[in-house]
Amino acid sequence: MSNKTKYAPLPPTDITIDFTIGEDAIAKARRGRKKTKKQYFTPDTDAAIKEYLASSNQDERDTIFSRRIHYPFYKLAENLIHTFKFYYTEVDDLEDLKHEVICFLLEKLDYFKPERGTKAFSYFSIVGKNYLILYNNSNYQKKKQKVDPIKADEDEGVLHQLGRDGRKEEIKTFIDYLTEYIDKHMFTMFKKDKDRKVADAINILFKRRENLEIFNKKALYIYIREMTGVDTPVITKVTKILKKQYKKLYTEYAETGYVRV
C-alpha cells in the first residue's frame, strides 16, 4: 500500500471547518454555549464513495479518494482511536496507526454496497472499529508477555470499556437488523403456529428492550409463556433456533456492517 495516505490530509475544499479560537470562544464557553461541531463525513463523502465505486478508471478513483474521501477517513480513524482509547500499538506515532486504519478502510471500499441502504459512515465506523479492537487486543496480549502482567493490567479498564459503552450503539443497530430479519423470515424459519407465536413474542421483547425491566432468564420464560400460552419446551426450542440465527447474522454484521434482510 502506498504511503500517499499516511500523513494528515487537508479537508475537501467544499467543507467548511469551524476552528473557533481566541477570546470569543473562551467567552462563549464560559457563558455555557454549546459549540456546533462540523461534520467531516458529509453528503458529499457519500456521493464521492458512490462515484469511486462506479468508476473503473484507477486514475479517476485515486483523484476522488485523495480529494474527497481521504480526509473523512483520516478523521474517522482519528476519532475511533481516541474515543475508544486504542493505544496498544506496534508503532511509536499514532499517525502511523491512523495510516494503517485508512489503508484498511481503503481495502474495504469495494465491499461497501450503498444500494443496500447502509450508510457509509455506519459501515466504515463498524469495520474500522472491529479492525482496531482486534489490533488493540492483539498488542495488549503481546505487552502482557513482555512486561509485568500487573502493570499491563492497570489499563485493563480500557478493554472492559470497549465491551460496554463502545459497543452499545453497534449492538443497538444490529438488534434493529435482527428484529427486521425475524419479521420478514418468520414463516420460513418456523412452520408451526405455536413456534411462530413464540418467535414473535421474543421479537417483540427485542423491539421493546429499552423499556424492559425483566433481566432474569426464568422470569423472561414465564413472561413469554404468559404472552403465548405455550409450554416451556417450545420456548426453549424456538430460543435455540433464534440464538443460532443471531450468531450467524452477527458474524455477517461484524464483517460487512449490515445484515441482508
Side-chain angles (χ1 to χ4, degrees):
M1 186 67 65
S2 169
N3 281 336
K4 66 185 178 181
T5 61
K6 182 172 182 178
Y7 301 104
L10 294 175
T13 55
D14 59 335
I15 297 177
T16 303
I17 306 297
D18 182 19
F19 294 108
T20 308
I21 58 176
E23 295 181 359
D24 289 343
I26 297 174
K28 287 181 180 179
R30 286 175 177 170
R31 289 196 296 269
R33 294 183 182 179
K34 295 182 179 179
K35 295 181 182 178
T36 301
K37 294 184 178 180
K38 297 294 182 180
Q39 293 183 338
Y40 57 87
F41 227 95
T42 68
D44 181 70
T45 310
D46 291 321
I49 290 173
K50 290 179 181 178
E51 291 174 28
Y52 178 96
L53 294 173
S55 175
S56 58
N57 184 296
Q58 191 57 50
D59 289 337
E60 183 181 10
R61 279 185 154 207
D62 289 344
T63 300
I64 293 171
F65 179 84
S66 63
R67 292 181 179 178
R68 299 164 64 192
I69 302 175
H70 187 189
Y71 179 77
F73 274 10
Y74 175 84
K75 293 299 295 181
L76 176 60
E78 182 177 68
N79 287 345
L80 287 173
I81 290 168
H82 293 303
T83 299
F84 301 107
K85 306 187 190 313
F86 292 114
Y87 298 142
Y88 291 110
T89 74
E90 293 181 334
V91 296
D92 296 326
D93 189 345
L94 284 181
E95 289 300 316
D96 291 317
L97 179 57
K98 294 175 193 175
H99 169 63
E100 292 183 22
V101 176
I102 293 169
C103 290
F104 177 77
L105 296 178
L106 180 56
E107 290 174 359
K108 292 296 181 182
L109 255 174
D110 284 313
Y111 291 90
F112 176 60
K113 307 296 180 185
E115 64 272 14
R116 290 177 175 168
T118 305
K119 295 294 184 182
F121 178 77
S122 175
Y123 173 82
F124 289 106
S125 293
I126 290 168
V127 298
K129 185 166 64 173
N130 286 340
Y131 170 81
L132 281 166
I133 287 173
L134 293 175
Y135 179 94
N136 192 77
N137 289 359
S138 174
N139 284 298
Y140 171 73
Q141 294 301 326
K142 290 178 183 177
K143 179 181 177 181
K144 289 190 73 172
Q145 293 172 4
K146 294 179 181 178
V147 302
D148 183 352
I150 295 178
K151 291 183 179 180
D153 285 335
E154 288 177 355
D155 292 330
E156 196 177 25
V158 172
L159 299 181
H160 287 308
Q161 192 67 16
L162 290 176
R164 297 175 191 163
D165 297 339
R167 296 181 66 84
K168 281 184 180 179
E169 189 61 30
E170 180 180 337
I171 294 296
K172 178 181 180 299
T173 303
F174 169 69
I175 294 297
D176 290 339
Y177 276 120
L178 176 66
T179 55
E180 185 180 354
Y181 183 93
I182 294 173
D183 280 336
K184 184 174 181 179
H185 298 279
M186 182 80 70
F187 283 81
T188 303
M189 295 169 64
F190 302 101
K191 304 300 182 183
K192 297 181 179 179
D193 286 340
K194 60 181 178 180
D195 292 347
R196 288 195 292 267
K197 189 182 295 184
V198 173
D200 187 54
I202 294 174
N203 212 30
I204 289 173
L205 293 181
F206 272 126
K207 293 176 182 177
R208 298 176 181 173
R209 60 193 178 277
E210 294 181 359
N211 299 321
L212 194 63
E213 297 182 357
I214 302 174
F215 300 101
N216 179 273
K217 180 179 177 181
K218 183 178 180 180
L220 279 171
Y221 265 60
I222 294 173
Y223 188 48
I224 294 170
R225 194 167 59 199
E226 290 177 350
M227 291 174 66
T228 61
V230 303
D231 295 330
T232 299
V234 178
I235 299 174
T236 301
K237 179 184 70 174
V238 172
T239 300
K240 287 182 178 179
I241 295 173
L242 290 177
K243 185 177 180 180
K244 184 177 180 180
Q245 193 65 48
Y246 179 104
K247 292 180 178 178
K248 178 182 176 181
L249 294 177
Y250 189 77
T251 298
E252 178 184 350
Y253 178 75
E255 292 176 352
T256 65
Y258 55 83
V259 172
R260 290 170 293 181
V261 177

